[in-house]
Amino acid sequence: GAVVSQHPSRVICKSGTSVKIECRSLDFQATTMFWYRQFPKKSLMLMATSNEGSKATYEQGVEKDKFLINHASLTLSTLTVTSAHPEDSSFYICSARLGTYEQYFGPGTRLTVT
Amino acid sequence: DQQVKQNSPSLSVQEGRISILNCDYTNSMFDYFLWYKKYPAEGPTFLISISSIKDKNEDGRFTVFLNKSAKHLSLHIVPSQPGDSAVYFCAASGTLQGAQKLVFGQGTRLTINP
């Protein structure tokens, strides 16, 4: 149980374009999902908390107009990187919360902006 | 301000021996702690957790110990197996800026030598 999928697993896009990443909880409903970013050999940095049916909450320093989050259903959250630049290249990971504390993570999406 | 610290970036252990991974935290508001295992280019996998009201939790080969007075937790893996080779992240859960969030340590790369 507690499986989270992410799509796509890898994406290459050109600078200036937008790319959407989907995060799905496959066998449970999640009112809260999270989006993280991991830089090479670094820890996971929380970008935003995605709340079903309401606006996402962004961490300090994360541009909400650049990283658009939509959580339209209890099993799906999407992250859209708008007007991507090479510095947005990273490993993006989503998670879904089950219960009060535990988060289950998706497999991650490697974004490369050329 | 690193609220969760894993001071050992790497650890090498002989197969069959005990692996001990350490984690320190600074925020006394954290009330739940989790350990995740991560392979390259994959999302973290939940391993084991512990509530702040306990000092030990065991699940098969994995045991987590919590010392609240020292703000320290550790993960023991015994016996260690080659498949345990991965990066291990500890995470602390607490209400930060009005929302329940996980804060991750930097990770410890565990290598099990045959």
Side-chain angles (χ1 to χ4, degrees):
Chain A
V3 178
V4 177
S5 70
Q6 242 178 281
H7 178 79
S9 58
R10 275 181 183 273
V11 58
I12 300 173
C13 71
K14 291 189 175 179
S15 194
T17 62
S18 296
V19 61
K20 181 189 284 188
I21 303 169
E22 291 186 350
C23 177
R24 293 181 186 273
S25 56
L26 298 185
D27 51 0
F28 66 102
Q29 294 183 328
T31 55
T32 306
M33 292 184 170
F34 301 87
W35 287 95
Y36 294 83
R37 183 172 176 177
Q38 186 183 26
F39 294 98
K41 298 185 180 179
K42 298 284 186 182
S43 185
L44 282 76
M45 301 299 297
L46 179 64
M47 297 174 64
T49 302
S50 171
N51 304 296
E52 188 267 337
S54 64
K55 289 183 180 179
T57 307
Y58 291 81
E59 295 301 299
Q60 195 172 9
V62 178
E63 299 175 56
K64 59 182 179 183
D65 294 330
K66 179 167 186 60
F67 298 99
L68 300 178
I69 291 173
N70 184 275
H71 192 159
S73 79
L74 287 170
T75 59
L76 174 65
S77 175
T78 60
L79 169 69
T80 301
V81 183
T82 63
S83 187
H85 290 285
E87 56 264 31
D88 299 325
S89 298
S90 193
F91 192 59
Y92 292 87
I93 311 175
C94 73
S95 72
R97 187 161 68 201
L98 181 62
T100 305
Y101 300 105
E102 292 169 7
Q103 292 182 26
Y104 291 85
F105 287 80
T109 297
R110 169 72 58 193
L111 170 63
T112 304
V113 184
T114 61
Chain B
D1 178 27
Q2 191 73 29
Q3 296 189 70
V4 180
K5 293 182 183 178
Q6 292 175 258
N7 291 316
S8 297
S10 63
L11 175 67
S12 190
V13 174
Q14 200 75 19
E15 182 180 0
R17 302 276 185 135
I18 183 170
S19 295
I20 300 176
L21 298 107
N22 294 302
C23 180
D24 298 292
Y25 62 96
T26 57
N27 192 335
S28 57
M29 297 299 291
F30 290 136
D31 54 5
Y32 200 81
F33 303 88
L34 307 91
W35 283 94
Y36 287 87
K37 178 180 180 180
K38 188 180 182 299
Y39 295 112
E42 292 185 12
T45 303
F46 170 72
L47 271 179
I48 191 169
S49 61
I50 188 167
S51 165
S52 61
I53 62 173
K54 294 188 174 182
D55 55 20
K56 178 182 175 181
N57 187 26
E58 191 173 350
D59 183 2
R61 296 186 299 116
F62 302 93
T63 304
V64 55
F65 294 93
L66 175 63
N67 182 334
K68 276 187 70 177
S69 60
K71 293 191 177 69
H72 176 84
L73 65 154
S74 60
L75 173 68
H76 292 211
I77 306 173
V78 57
S80 301
Q81 300 173 354
D84 296 330
S85 296
V87 177
Y88 289 78
F89 289 95
C90 75
S93 178
T95 302
L96 304 170
Q97 291 95 41
Q100 195 78 19
K101 299 177 184 177
L102 285 184
V103 179
F104 283 84
Q106 309 96 308
T108 297
R109 179 175 299 281
L110 175 65
T111 302
I112 306 301
N113 302 307

